[in-house]
Coordinates of all heavy atoms in Angstrom, one line a residue:
M1202 N -2.1 -16.5 -3.4 CA -0.8 -16.0 -3.9 C -0.6 -14.6 -3.4 O -1.5 -13.8 -3.1 CB -0.8 -16.0 -5.4 CG 0.4 -15.5 -6.0 SD 0.5 -15.9 -7.7 CE 2.2 -15.5 -8.0
L1203 N 0.7 -14.3 -3.2 CA 1.0 -12.9 -2.8 C 1.1 -12.0 -3.9 O 1.4 -12.4 -5.1 CB 2.4 -12.9 -2.0 CG 2.5 -13.6 -0.8 CD1 3.9 -13.8 -0.3 CD2 1.6 -12.9 0.3
Y1204 N 0.8 -10.7 -3.7 CA 0.9 -9.6 -4.7 C 1.5 -8.4 -4.0 O 1.3 -8.2 -2.8 CB -0.5 -9.3 -5.2 CG -1.1 -10.4 -5.9 CD1 -1.8 -11.4 -5.3 CD2 -0.9 -10.5 -7.3 CE1 -2.4 -12.5 -6.0 CE2 -1.5 -11.6 -8.0 CZ -2.2 -12.5 -7.3 OH -2.7 -13.7 -8.0
T1205 N 2.2 -7.7 -4.8 CA 2.8 -6.4 -4.3 C 1.9 -5.3 -5.0 O 1.4 -5.4 -6.0 CB 4.2 -6.1 -4.8 OG1 4.2 -6.0 -6.2 CG2 5.2 -7.1 -4.3
I1206 N 1.6 -4.3 -4.1 CA 0.9 -3.1 -4.4 C 1.8 -1.9 -4.2 O 2.2 -1.8 -3.0 CB -0.5 -3.0 -3.7 CG1 -1.3 -4.2 -4.0 CG2 -1.1 -1.7 -4.0 CD1 -2.6 -4.3 -3.1
I1207 N 2.2 -1.2 -5.2 CA 3.1 -0.1 -5.1 C 2.4 1.1 -5.5 O 2.0 1.2 -6.7 CB 4.4 -0.3 -5.9 CG1 5.1 -1.6 -5.4 CG2 5.3 0.9 -5.7 CD1 6.3 -2.0 -6.2
G1208 N 2.2 2.0 -4.6 CA 1.6 3.3 -4.9 C 2.6 4.4 -5.0 O 3.5 4.5 -4.1
Q1209 N 2.5 5.2 -6.0 CA 3.4 6.3 -6.2 C 2.6 7.6 -5.8 O 1.6 7.9 -6.3 CB 3.9 6.4 -7.7 CG 4.6 5.3 -8.2 CD 6.0 5.1 -7.6 OE1 6.6 6.1 -7.3 NE2 6.4 3.9 -7.3
D1210 N 3.2 8.4 -4.9 CA 2.5 9.5 -4.4 C 2.5 10.6 -5.4 O 3.5 10.9 -6.2 CB 3.2 10.1 -3.1 CG 2.7 9.3 -1.9 OD1 2.2 8.2 -2.0 OD2 2.9 9.9 -0.8
A1211 N 1.4 11.4 -5.5 CA 1.3 12.6 -6.3 C 2.1 13.7 -5.6 O 2.3 13.6 -4.4 CB -0.2 13.0 -6.4
P1212 N 2.5 14.7 -6.4 CA 3.3 15.8 -5.8 C 2.4 16.5 -4.7 O 1.1 16.6 -4.9 CB 3.6 16.7 -7.0 CG 3.5 15.9 -8.2 CD 2.5 14.8 -7.8
D1213 N 3.0 16.9 -3.6 CA 2.3 17.7 -2.6 C 1.1 16.9 -2.0 O 0.0 17.6 -1.8 CB 1.9 19.1 -3.1 CG 3.1 19.9 -3.6 OD1 4.1 19.9 -2.9 OD2 3.0 20.5 -4.7
S1214 N 1.3 15.6 -1.8 CA 0.1 14.9 -1.3 C 0.1 14.6 0.2 O -0.8 13.9 0.6 CB 0.0 13.5 -2.1 OG 1.2 12.8 -1.9
L1215 N 1.0 15.2 0.9 CA 1.1 14.8 2.3 C -0.1 15.2 3.1 O -0.5 14.4 3.9 CB 2.4 15.5 2.9 CG 2.7 15.2 4.4 CD1 2.9 13.8 4.6 CD2 3.9 16.0 4.8
S1216 N -0.7 16.3 2.8 CA -1.9 16.7 3.5 C -3.1 15.6 3.2 O -3.7 15.2 4.2 CB -2.4 18.1 3.1 OG -3.6 18.4 3.7
N1217 N -3.3 15.3 2.0 CA -4.2 14.2 1.7 C -3.9 12.9 2.3 O -4.8 12.2 2.7 CB -4.3 14.0 0.2 CG -5.0 15.2 -0.6 OD1 -5.6 16.0 0.1 ND2 -5.0 15.2 -1.9
R1218 N -2.6 12.6 2.3 CA -2.2 11.3 3.0 C -2.6 11.3 4.5 O -3.1 10.3 4.9 CB -0.7 11.2 2.9 CG 0.0 9.9 3.6 CD 1.5 9.9 3.4 NE 1.8 9.2 2.1 CZ 2.0 7.9 2.0 NH1 1.8 7.1 3.0 NH2 2.3 7.4 0.8
M1219 N -2.3 12.4 5.2 CA -2.6 12.4 6.6 C -4.2 12.4 6.8 O -4.6 11.7 7.8 CB -2.0 13.7 7.3 CG -0.5 13.7 7.1 SD 0.4 12.2 7.3 CE 0.1 11.8 9.1
T1220 N -4.9 13.0 6.0 CA -6.4 13.1 6.1 C -7.0 11.6 5.9 O -7.9 11.2 6.6 CB -6.9 14.0 5.2 OG1 -6.5 15.3 5.5 CG2 -8.5 14.1 5.2
S1221 N -6.5 11.0 4.9 CA -7.1 9.7 4.4 C -6.4 8.5 5.1 O -6.8 7.3 4.9 CB -7.0 9.5 3.0 OG -5.8 9.6 2.4
R1222 N -5.3 8.7 5.9 CA -4.6 7.7 6.5 C -5.4 6.7 7.4 O -5.3 5.4 7.3 CB -3.4 8.2 7.4 CG -2.5 7.1 7.9 CD -1.2 7.7 8.6 NE -0.3 6.6 8.9 CZ -0.3 5.8 9.9 NH1 -1.3 6.0 10.8 NH2 0.6 4.9 10.1
P1223 N -6.3 7.2 8.3 CA -7.1 6.3 9.1 C -7.9 5.2 8.3 O -7.9 4.1 8.6 CB -8.0 7.3 9.9 CG -7.2 8.5 10.0 CD -6.6 8.6 8.7
A1224 N -8.5 5.7 7.2 CA -9.2 4.8 6.4 C -8.3 3.8 5.7 O -8.6 2.6 5.6 CB -10.1 5.5 5.4
H1225 N -7.2 4.3 5.2 CA -6.2 3.4 4.5 C -5.6 2.3 5.6 O -5.6 1.1 5.2 CB -5.0 4.3 4.1 CG -3.8 3.6 3.6 ND1 -3.8 2.9 2.3 CD2 -2.6 3.3 4.1 CE1 -2.6 2.4 2.1 NE2 -1.9 2.6 3.2
V1226 N -5.3 2.7 6.8 CA -4.8 1.8 7.7 C -5.8 0.8 8.2 O -5.5 -0.4 8.4 CB -4.2 2.6 9.0 CG1 -3.9 1.7 10.1 CG2 -3.0 3.4 8.5
A1227 N -7.1 1.3 8.3 CA -8.2 0.3 8.7 C -8.3 -0.8 7.7 O -8.4 -2.0 8.1 CB -9.5 1.1 8.8
R1228 N -8.1 -0.5 6.4 CA -8.2 -1.6 5.4 C -7.0 -2.5 5.5 O -7.2 -3.8 5.4 CB -8.2 -1.0 4.0 CG -9.5 -0.2 3.7 CD -9.5 0.4 2.4 NE -9.9 -0.7 1.4 CZ -9.2 -1.0 0.3 NH1 -8.1 -0.5 0.1 NH2 -9.6 -2.0 -0.5
L1229 N -5.8 -2.0 5.8 CA -4.6 -2.9 6.1 C -4.8 -3.7 7.3 O -4.5 -5.0 7.3 CB -3.4 -2.0 6.2 CG -3.0 -1.3 4.9 CD1 -1.8 -0.3 5.2 CD2 -2.5 -2.3 3.8
Q1230 N -5.4 -3.1 8.4 CA -5.6 -3.9 9.6 C -6.6 -5.0 9.3 O -6.5 -6.1 9.9 CB -6.1 -3.0 10.7 CG -5.0 -2.1 11.2 CD -5.5 -1.0 12.1 OE1 -6.6 -0.6 12.0 NE2 -4.6 -0.6 13.0
E1231 N -7.5 -4.8 8.5 CA -8.5 -5.9 8.1 C -7.8 -7.1 7.4 O -8.0 -8.2 7.7 CB -9.6 -5.4 7.2 CG -10.6 -6.3 6.8 CD -11.7 -5.7 5.9 OE1 -12.1 -4.6 6.2 OE2 -12.2 -6.4 5.0
L1232 N -6.9 -6.7 6.5 CA -6.0 -7.8 5.8 C -5.2 -8.5 6.9 O -5.1 -9.7 6.8 CB -5.2 -7.2 4.7 CG -5.8 -6.8 3.4 CD1 -4.7 -6.1 2.5 CD2 -6.5 -7.9 2.7
Q1233 N -4.7 -7.7 7.8 CA -3.8 -8.4 8.9 C -4.6 -9.3 9.7 O -4.2 -10.4 10.0 CB -3.2 -7.3 9.7 CG -2.2 -7.8 10.8 CD -1.6 -6.7 11.6 OE1 -2.1 -5.6 11.6 NE2 -0.5 -7.0 12.3
A1234 N -5.8 -8.9 10.1 CA -6.7 -9.7 11.0 C -7.1 -11.0 10.2 O -7.3 -12.0 10.9 CB -8.0 -8.9 11.3
Q1235 N -7.1 -11.0 8.9 CA -7.4 -12.2 8.1 C -6.2 -13.0 7.9 O -6.3 -14.0 7.2 CB -8.1 -11.7 6.8 CG -9.4 -11.0 6.9 CD -9.9 -10.3 5.6 OE1 -9.1 -10.4 4.6 NE2 -11.0 -9.8 5.7
G1236 N -5.1 -12.6 8.3 CA -3.8 -13.3 8.2 C -3.3 -13.2 6.7 O -2.5 -14.1 6.3
R1237 N -3.6 -12.1 6.0 CA -3.3 -12.0 4.6 C -2.2 -10.9 4.3 O -1.8 -10.8 3.2 CB -4.6 -11.7 3.7 CG -5.5 -12.8 3.8 CD -6.9 -12.4 3.2 NE -6.8 -11.7 1.9 CZ -7.7 -10.9 1.5 NH1 -8.8 -10.7 2.1 NH2 -7.6 -10.3 0.3
L1238 N -1.9 -10.1 5.3 CA -0.9 -9.1 5.1 C 0.5 -9.5 5.5 O 0.7 -9.9 6.6 CB -1.3 -7.8 6.0 CG -0.4 -6.6 5.8 CD1 -0.5 -6.0 4.4 CD2 -0.8 -5.6 6.8
L1239 N 1.4 -9.5 4.6 CA 2.8 -9.8 4.9 C 3.5 -8.6 5.4 O 4.2 -8.6 6.4 CB 3.5 -10.3 3.7 CG 4.9 -10.8 3.8 CD1 5.0 -12.0 4.7 CD2 5.6 -11.2 2.4
L1240 N 3.4 -7.4 4.7 CA 4.0 -6.2 5.2 C 3.4 -5.0 4.4 O 2.8 -5.2 3.4 CB 5.6 -6.2 5.0 CG 6.1 -6.3 3.6 CD1 6.3 -4.9 3.0 CD2 7.5 -7.0 3.6
A1241 N 3.5 -3.8 5.1 CA 3.0 -2.6 4.5 C 3.8 -1.4 5.0 O 4.1 -1.4 6.2 CB 1.5 -2.4 4.7
G1242 N 4.0 -0.4 4.3 CA 4.6 0.8 4.8 C 5.0 1.8 3.7 O 4.9 1.5 2.5
P1243 N 5.3 3.0 4.1 CA 5.5 4.1 3.1 C 7.0 4.2 2.8 O 7.9 3.7 3.5 CB 5.1 5.4 3.9 CG 5.4 5.0 5.3 CD 5.1 3.6 5.4
F1244 N 7.3 4.9 1.7 CA 8.7 5.3 1.3 C 8.9 6.7 1.7 O 8.4 7.6 1.1 CB 8.9 5.1 -0.2 CG 8.6 3.7 -0.7 CD1 7.6 3.6 -1.8 CD2 9.4 2.7 -0.4 CE1 7.4 2.3 -2.3 CE2 9.1 1.4 -0.9 CZ 8.1 1.2 -1.9
P1245 N 9.7 7.0 2.8 CA 10.0 8.4 3.1 C 10.8 9.1 2.0 O 11.5 8.5 1.3 CB 11.0 8.2 4.4 CG 10.7 6.8 4.9 CD 10.3 6.0 3.7
A1246 N 10.5 10.3 1.8 CA 11.0 11.2 0.8 C 12.5 11.5 1.0 O 13.3 11.8 0.1 CB 10.3 12.4 0.5
V1247 N 12.9 11.4 2.3 CA 14.3 11.6 2.7 C 14.7 10.4 3.6 O 13.9 9.7 4.2 CB 14.4 13.0 3.5 CG1 14.1 14.1 2.6 CG2 13.6 13.0 4.7
D1248 N 16.0 10.3 3.8 CA 16.6 9.2 4.6 C 16.4 9.5 6.1 O 17.3 9.9 6.8 CB 18.0 9.0 4.3 CG 18.6 7.8 4.9 OD1 17.9 6.9 5.4 OD2 19.9 7.7 4.9
A1249 N 15.2 9.3 6.5 CA 14.8 9.5 7.9 C 13.6 8.7 8.3 O 12.7 8.5 7.5 CB 14.6 11.0 8.2
E1250 N 13.6 8.2 9.6 CA 12.4 7.5 10.1 C 11.2 8.3 10.0 O 10.1 7.9 9.6 CB 12.8 7.1 11.6 CG 11.7 6.1 12.1 CD 11.9 4.7 11.6 OE1 12.9 4.3 11.2 OE2 10.8 4.0 11.8
D1251 N 11.3 9.6 10.4 CA 10.1 10.6 10.2 C 10.6 11.7 9.3 O 11.3 12.5 9.6 CB 9.8 11.1 11.6 CG 8.6 12.1 11.5 OD1 8.1 12.4 10.4 OD2 8.2 12.6 12.5
P1252 N 10.1 11.7 8.0 CA 10.6 12.6 7.1 C 9.9 14.0 7.2 O 10.3 14.9 6.5 CB 10.1 12.0 5.8 CG 8.8 11.2 6.1 CD 9.1 10.7 7.5
G1253 N 9.1 14.2 8.2 CA 8.5 15.5 8.5 C 7.8 16.0 7.2 O 7.1 15.3 6.5
A1254 N 8.0 17.3 6.9 CA 7.3 18.0 5.8 C 7.8 17.5 4.4 O 7.1 17.7 3.5 CB 7.7 19.5 5.9
A1255 N 8.9 16.7 4.4 CA 9.3 16.2 3.1 C 8.3 15.1 2.6 O 8.2 14.9 1.5 CB 10.7 15.6 3.3
G1256 N 7.7 14.5 3.6 CA 6.6 13.5 3.2 C 7.1 12.2 2.7 O 8.2 11.7 3.0
Y1257 N 6.4 11.6 1.8 CA 6.7 10.3 1.3 C 6.5 10.3 -0.2 O 5.9 11.2 -0.8 CB 5.6 9.3 1.9 CG 5.7 9.3 3.4 CD1 4.9 10.1 4.2 CD2 6.6 8.4 4.0 CE1 5.0 10.1 5.6 CE2 6.7 8.4 5.5 CZ 5.9 9.2 6.2 OH 6.0 9.2 7.6
T1258 N 7.1 9.3 -0.8 CA 7.1 9.2 -2.3 C 6.2 8.1 -2.7 O 5.9 7.9 -3.9 CB 8.4 8.9 -2.9 OG1 9.0 7.7 -2.3 CG2 9.4 10.1 -2.6
G1259 N 5.6 7.3 -1.8 CA 4.8 6.1 -2.1 C 4.7 5.2 -1.0 O 5.1 5.4 0.1
S1260 N 4.1 4.0 -1.3 CA 4.0 2.9 -0.3 C 4.1 1.6 -1.0 O 3.9 1.5 -2.2 CB 2.6 3.0 0.3 OG 2.3 4.2 0.8
L1261 N 4.4 0.6 -0.1 CA 4.5 -0.8 -0.6 C 3.6 -1.6 0.3 O 3.6 -1.5 1.5 CB 5.9 -1.3 -0.5 CG 6.1 -2.8 -0.6 CD1 5.8 -3.3 -2.1 CD2 7.6 -3.2 -0.2
I1262 N 2.8 -2.5 -0.3 CA 2.0 -3.4 0.4 C 2.2 -4.8 -0.2 O 2.3 -4.9 -1.4 CB 0.5 -3.1 0.3 CG1 0.2 -1.7 0.8 CG2 -0.4 -4.1 0.9 CD1 -1.2 -1.1 0.4
V1263 N 2.4 -5.8 0.6 CA 2.5 -7.2 0.2 C 1.5 -7.9 0.9 O 1.6 -8.1 2.1 CB 4.0 -7.8 0.4 CG1 4.0 -9.2 -0.2 CG2 5.1 -6.9 -0.3
A1264 N 0.5 -8.5 0.2 CA -0.6 -9.2 0.8 C -1.0 -10.3 -0.1 O -0.8 -10.4 -1.3 CB -1.7 -8.2 1.1
E1265 N -1.7 -11.2 0.5 CA -2.4 -12.4 -0.2 C -3.7 -12.1 -0.7 O -4.6 -11.6 0.0 CB -2.4 -13.6 0.7 CG -2.9 -14.9 0.2 CD -2.8 -16.0 1.1 OE1 -2.3 -15.9 2.2 OE2 -3.5 -17.1 0.8
F1266 N -4.0 -12.4 -1.9 CA -5.3 -12.4 -2.6 C -5.5 -13.6 -3.4 O -4.6 -14.3 -3.7 CB -5.3 -11.1 -3.6 CG -5.2 -9.8 -2.8 CD1 -4.0 -9.2 -2.6 CD2 -6.4 -9.2 -2.3 CE1 -3.9 -8.0 -1.9 CE2 -6.3 -7.9 -1.6 CZ -5.0 -7.4 -1.4
H1267 N -6.7 -13.8 -3.7 CA -7.1 -15.0 -4.5 C -6.7 -15.0 -6.0 O -6.3 -16.0 -6.6 CB -8.6 -15.3 -4.5 CG -9.2 -15.7 -3.2 ND1 -8.9 -16.8 -2.6 CD2 -9.9 -15.0 -2.3 CE1 -9.4 -16.9 -1.4 NE2 -10.1 -15.7 -1.2
S1268 N -6.5 -13.7 -6.5 CA -6.1 -13.5 -7.9 C -5.6 -12.1 -8.1 O -5.8 -11.3 -7.2 CB -7.3 -13.8 -8.8 OG -8.3 -12.7 -8.6
L1269 N -5.0 -12.0 -9.2 CA -4.5 -10.6 -9.6 C -5.7 -9.6 -9.7 O -5.5 -8.5 -9.3 CB -3.7 -10.7 -10.9 CG -3.2 -9.4 -11.5 CD1 -2.2 -8.7 -10.5 CD2 -2.5 -9.6 -12.9
S1270 N -6.7 -10.1 -10.3 CA -7.9 -9.1 -10.4 C -8.5 -8.8 -9.0 O -8.9 -7.6 -8.8 CB -9.0 -9.8 -11.3 OG -9.5 -10.9 -10.7
D1271 N -8.4 -9.7 -8.0 CA -8.8 -9.3 -6.6 C -7.9 -8.3 -6.0 O -8.3 -7.4 -5.4 CB -8.9 -10.6 -5.7 CG -10.1 -11.5 -6.0 OD1 -11.0 -11.0 -6.8 OD2 -10.1 -12.6 -5.5
A1272 N -6.6 -8.5 -6.3 CA -5.6 -7.6 -5.7 C -5.8 -6.2 -6.4 O -5.7 -5.2 -5.7 CB -4.1 -8.1 -6.0
Q1273 N -6.0 -6.1 -7.7 CA -6.2 -4.9 -8.4 C -7.5 -4.2 -7.9 O -7.5 -3.0 -7.6 CB -6.3 -5.1 -9.9 CG -4.9 -5.5 -10.5 CD -5.0 -6.0 -11.9 OE1 -6.0 -6.6 -12.3 NE2 -4.0 -5.7 -12.7
A1274 N -8.5 -4.9 -7.7 CA -9.7 -4.4 -7.2 C -9.6 -3.8 -5.8 O -10.1 -2.7 -5.5 CB -10.9 -5.4 -7.1
W1275 N -8.9 -4.5 -4.9 CA -8.5 -4.0 -3.6 C -7.8 -2.7 -3.7 O -8.1 -1.7 -3.0 CB -7.8 -5.1 -2.8 CG -7.7 -4.7 -1.3 CD1 -8.5 -5.0 -0.3 CD2 -6.6 -3.9 -0.7 NE1 -8.1 -4.5 0.8 CE2 -6.9 -3.8 0.6 CE3 -5.5 -3.3 -1.2 CZ2 -6.1 -3.1 1.6 CZ3 -4.7 -2.6 -0.3 CH2 -5.0 -2.5 1.0
A1276 N -6.7 -2.7 -4.5 CA -5.9 -1.4 -4.7 C -6.7 -0.3 -5.2 O -6.5 0.9 -4.8 CB -4.7 -1.8 -5.6
E1277 N -7.6 -0.6 -6.1 CA -8.4 0.5 -6.8 C -9.4 1.2 -5.8 O -9.8 2.3 -5.9 CB -9.2 0.0 -8.0 CG -8.2 -0.2 -9.2 CD -8.9 -1.0 -10.3 OE1 -10.1 -1.2 -10.2 OE2 -8.2 -1.4 -11.2
A1278 N -9.7 0.4 -4.6 CA -10.6 0.9 -3.7 C -9.9 1.5 -2.5 O -10.5 2.0 -1.5 CB -11.5 -0.2 -3.1
D1279 N -8.5 1.7 -2.6 CA -7.7 2.2 -1.4 C -8.0 3.7 -1.4 O -8.0 4.5 -2.3 CB -6.2 2.0 -1.8 CG -5.4 2.3 -0.6 OD1 -5.5 3.4 0.0 OD2 -4.6 1.4 -0.2
P1280 N -8.3 4.2 -0.1 CA -8.5 5.6 0.0 C -7.4 6.5 -0.5 O -7.6 7.7 -0.9 CB -8.6 5.8 1.6 CG -9.2 4.4 2.0 CD -8.5 3.4 1.1
Y1281 N -6.1 6.0 -0.4 CA -5.0 6.8 -0.9 C -5.2 7.1 -2.4 O -4.7 8.1 -2.9 CB -3.7 6.1 -0.6 CG -3.1 6.3 0.8 CD1 -3.8 7.1 1.8 CD2 -1.9 5.8 1.2 CE1 -3.3 7.3 3.0 CE2 -1.4 6.1 2.4 CZ -2.1 6.8 3.4 OH -1.6 7.0 4.6
L1282 N -5.7 6.1 -3.2 CA -5.9 6.3 -4.6 C -7.1 7.2 -4.8 O -7.1 8.2 -5.6 CB -6.1 5.0 -5.3 CG -6.2 5.1 -6.8 CD1 -4.9 5.7 -7.4 CD2 -6.5 3.7 -7.4
I1283 N -8.2 7.0 -4.0 CA -9.5 7.7 -4.2 C -9.3 9.2 -3.9 O -9.8 10.0 -4.6 CB -10.6 7.0 -3.3 CG1 -10.9 5.7 -3.8 CG2 -11.8 8.0 -3.2 CD1 -11.7 4.8 -2.9
Y1284 N -8.5 9.5 -2.8 CA -8.3 10.8 -2.3 C -7.1 11.5 -2.9 O -6.7 12.6 -2.4 CB -8.4 10.9 -0.8 CG -9.7 10.6 -0.3 CD1 -10.0 9.3 0.3 CD2 -10.8 11.4 -0.5 CE1 -11.2 9.0 0.7 CE2 -12.1 11.1 -0.1 CZ -12.3 9.9 0.6 OH -13.6 9.5 1.0
G1285 N -6.5 10.9 -3.9 CA -5.4 11.6 -4.6 C -4.0 11.6 -4.0 O -3.1 12.3 -4.4
V1286 N -3.8 10.7 -3.0 CA -2.5 10.5 -2.5 C -1.6 9.8 -3.5 O -0.5 10.3 -3.8 CB -2.5 9.7 -1.2 CG1 -1.1 9.4 -0.7 CG2 -3.3 10.4 -0.1
Y1287 N -2.1 8.8 -4.1 CA -1.4 8.1 -5.1 C -1.8 8.7 -6.4 O -3.0 8.8 -6.8 CB -1.8 6.6 -5.2 CG -1.4 5.8 -4.0 CD1 -2.1 4.6 -3.7 CD2 -0.3 6.1 -3.1 CE1 -1.7 3.8 -2.5 CE2 0.1 5.4 -2.1 CZ -0.6 4.2 -1.8 OH -0.3 3.4 -0.7
S1288 N -0.7 8.9 -7.3 CA -1.0 9.3 -8.7 C -1.1 8.0 -9.6 O -1.7 8.1 -10.6 CB 0.1 10.2 -9.2 OG 1.4 9.5 -9.1
Q1289 N -0.5 6.9 -9.1 CA -0.6 5.7 -9.9 C -0.3 4.5 -9.0 O 0.4 4.7 -7.9 CB 0.4 5.7 -11.1 CG 1.8 5.7 -10.7 CD 2.7 5.6 -12.0 OE1 2.2 5.8 -13.1 NE2 4.0 5.3 -11.8
V1290 N -0.9 3.3 -9.3 CA -0.6 2.1 -8.5 C -0.3 1.0 -9.4 O -0.9 0.8 -10.5 CB -2.0 1.7 -7.7 CG1 -1.8 0.5 -7.0 CG2 -2.3 2.9 -6.7
S1291 N 0.7 0.2 -9.0 CA 1.1 -1.0 -9.8 C 0.8 -2.2 -8.9 O 1.2 -2.2 -7.7 CB 2.6 -0.9 -10.1 OG 3.1 -2.1 -10.5
V1292 N 0.2 -3.2 -9.5 CA -0.1 -4.5 -8.8 C 0.6 -5.6 -9.5 O 0.3 -5.7 -10.7 CB -1.6 -4.7 -8.6 CG1 -1.9 -6.0 -7.9 CG2 -2.3 -3.5 -7.9
R1293 N 1.3 -6.4 -8.8 CA 2.1 -7.5 -9.5 C 2.1 -8.7 -8.7 O 2.2 -8.6 -7.4 CB 3.5 -7.1 -9.8 CG 3.6 -5.9 -10.7 CD 4.9 -5.3 -10.9 NE 5.9 -6.3 -11.4 CZ 7.2 -6.1 -11.6 NH1 7.7 -4.9 -11.3 NH2 8.0 -7.0 -12.0
P1294 N 2.1 -9.9 -9.2 CA 2.3 -11.1 -8.4 C 3.7 -11.1 -7.8 O 4.7 -10.6 -8.3 CB 2.2 -12.3 -9.5 CG 1.6 -11.6 -10.7 CD 1.9 -10.2 -10.6
F1295 N 3.7 -11.7 -6.7 CA 5.1 -11.8 -5.9 C 5.3 -13.2 -5.3 O 4.4 -13.8 -4.8 CB 5.0 -10.8 -4.8 CG 6.2 -10.7 -3.9 CD1 7.4 -10.1 -4.3 CD2 6.2 -11.3 -2.6 CE1 8.5 -10.1 -3.5 CE2 7.3 -11.2 -1.8 CZ 8.5 -10.6 -2.3
K1296 N 6.5 -13.7 -5.5 CA 6.9 -15.0 -4.9 C 7.9 -14.8 -3.8 O 9.0 -14.4 -4.1 CB 7.4 -16.0 -5.9 CG 7.7 -17.3 -5.3 CD 8.2 -18.3 -6.4 CE 8.5 -19.6 -5.7 NZ 8.9 -20.6 -6.5
K1297 N 7.5 -15.0 -2.6 CA 8.4 -14.8 -1.4 C 9.4 -16.0 -1.4 O 8.9 -17.2 -1.4 CB 7.6 -14.8 -0.1 CG 8.5 -14.6 1.1 CD 7.6 -14.5 2.4 CE 8.5 -14.4 3.6 NZ 8.8 -15.6 4.2
T1298 N 10.6 -15.7 -1.3 CA 11.7 -16.7 -1.3 C 12.4 -16.8 0.0 O 12.5 -17.9 0.6 CB 12.7 -16.5 -2.4 OG1 12.0 -16.5 -3.7 CG2 13.7 -17.6 -2.4
L1299 N 12.7 -15.6 0.5 CA 13.4 -15.5 1.8 C 12.8 -14.4 2.7 O 12.4 -13.4 2.1 CB 15.0 -15.3 1.5 CG 15.7 -16.4 1.0 CD1 17.1 -15.9 0.6 CD2 15.8 -17.6 1.8
P1300 N 12.9 -14.5 4.0 CA 13.3 -15.7 4.7 C 12.3 -16.8 4.5 O 11.1 -16.5 4.3 CB 13.4 -15.2 6.2 CG 12.5 -14.0 6.2 CD 12.5 -13.4 4.8
A1301 N 12.8 -18.0 4.6 CA 12.0 -19.2 4.4 C 11.0 -19.4 5.6 O 11.1 -18.9 6.6 CB 12.8 -20.4 4.3

C-alpha cells in the first residue's frame, strides 16, 4: 500500500537540511531502486524553484510499504528527523486515484 510521509521543517533548519541531505537522498534512492517510491520532494518556503536562503517548510514522500507501522519506522529513521530538520512527521495511508 502507498503511504504519505509529510515532514514539517523546524525553524532555521536549512543548514541541517543541507548537511543531512546526502543520507536522506540515499534512503530515497534505495526506495526508488526497489520500485517503491512514487514521488518525493521539498516544499519551498517561497514561490521559486530555488528558494535560496528562504529554505523549505517541509517535504512530501509517497512510497509503498507493507504496513503503516513499516512506513512509520522508515520515517522515524530518516536523517532529516534524526538531525533536527523535521520538527514533526506525519505518516498516513494513501490511495492513488489519478493518473490511472
Side-chain angles (χ1 to χ4, degrees):
M1202 180 163 189
L1203 292 173
Y1204 295 87
T1205 63
I1206 300 170
I1207 301 174
Q1209 299 293 324
D1210 279 21
D1213 302 317
S1214 62
L1215 184 58
S1216 176
N1217 286 350
R1218 177 181 275 271
M1219 301 318 293
T1220 300
S1221 57
R1222 186 174 190 278
H1225 170 78
V1226 170
R1228 294 179 81 238
L1229 292 170
Q1230 289 171 330
E1231 185 177 321
L1232 285 178
Q1233 183 178 18
Q1235 295 168 357
R1237 297 170 45 204
L1238 182 66
L1239 185 64
L1240 63 89
F1244 300 121
V1247 295
D1248 188 13
E1250 188 76 22
D1251 179 358
Y1257 300 91
T1258 61
S1260 303
L1261 169 67
I1262 299 165
V1263 181
E1265 184 178 349
F1266 292 93
H1267 292 292
S1268 66
L1269 178 59
S1270 62
D1271 285 349
Q1273 289 170 326
W1275 190 92
E1277 289 169 4
D1279 192 310
Y1281 277 4
L1282 185 61
I1283 293 168
Y1284 294 106
V1286 176
Y1287 294 155
S1288 61
Q1289 65 179 16
V1290 175
S1291 169
V1292 181
R1293 297 172 58 182
F1295 179 76
K1296 182 177 178 176
K1297 181 179 178 271
T1298 304
L1299 294 171

